[in-house]
Amino acid sequence: VGAAMKNSDAYKTAIQEIEKDKHVLAETGGIKGYGWMPAGKVNISNGNGQANFEIKVLGNEKDLSVSVNLTKEPNGEWKVIEVNR
């Protein structure tokens, strides 16, 4: 399940957002990796999607748990709604 989740477009979009979040970068002292198994779920129905992840960010100075909420419209890309540290 974790590997499938990590390969999802929603997870990849969440990681891209985390990597450009100035607050996450400042708190962690730079990102060196991510936890092995993200928590969360991805739901897609009739092309509409919702996803939420709890991702462990491994930092150079401090590890951080980050939650990311995303949404998707039919034939659209995943969009980040919220990032919480």
Side-chain angles (χ1 to χ4, degrees):
V1 175
M5 199 180 301
K6 281 182 144 181
N7 287 327
S8 73
D9 288 338
Y11 181 84
K12 291 174 185 173
T13 301
I15 292 296
Q16 288 171 352
E17 192 68 22
I18 287 171
E19 289 182 348
K20 59 185 184 185
D21 187 299
K22 292 180 176 82
H23 299 289
V24 171
L25 295 173
E27 281 189 61
T28 58
I31 298 169
K32 64 180 178 183
Y34 299 94
W36 183 72
M37 180 78 90
K41 63 184 177 192
V42 178
N43 291 319
I44 300 174
S45 177
N46 298 323
N48 291 305
Q50 287 86 36
N52 66 316
F53 299 106
E54 188 77 26
I55 300 170
K56 179 142 182 127
V57 178
L58 306 175
N60 290 318
E61 296 171 13
K62 175 183 162 189
D63 295 347
L64 197 61
S65 195
V66 179
S67 63
V68 183
N69 295 315
L70 304 99
T71 186
K72 177 186 176 308
E73 293 184 8
N75 303 317
E77 300 288 319
W78 284 98
K79 292 187 176 107
V80 174
I81 301 169
E82 188 176 36
V83 177
N84 290 310
R85 300 166 301 292

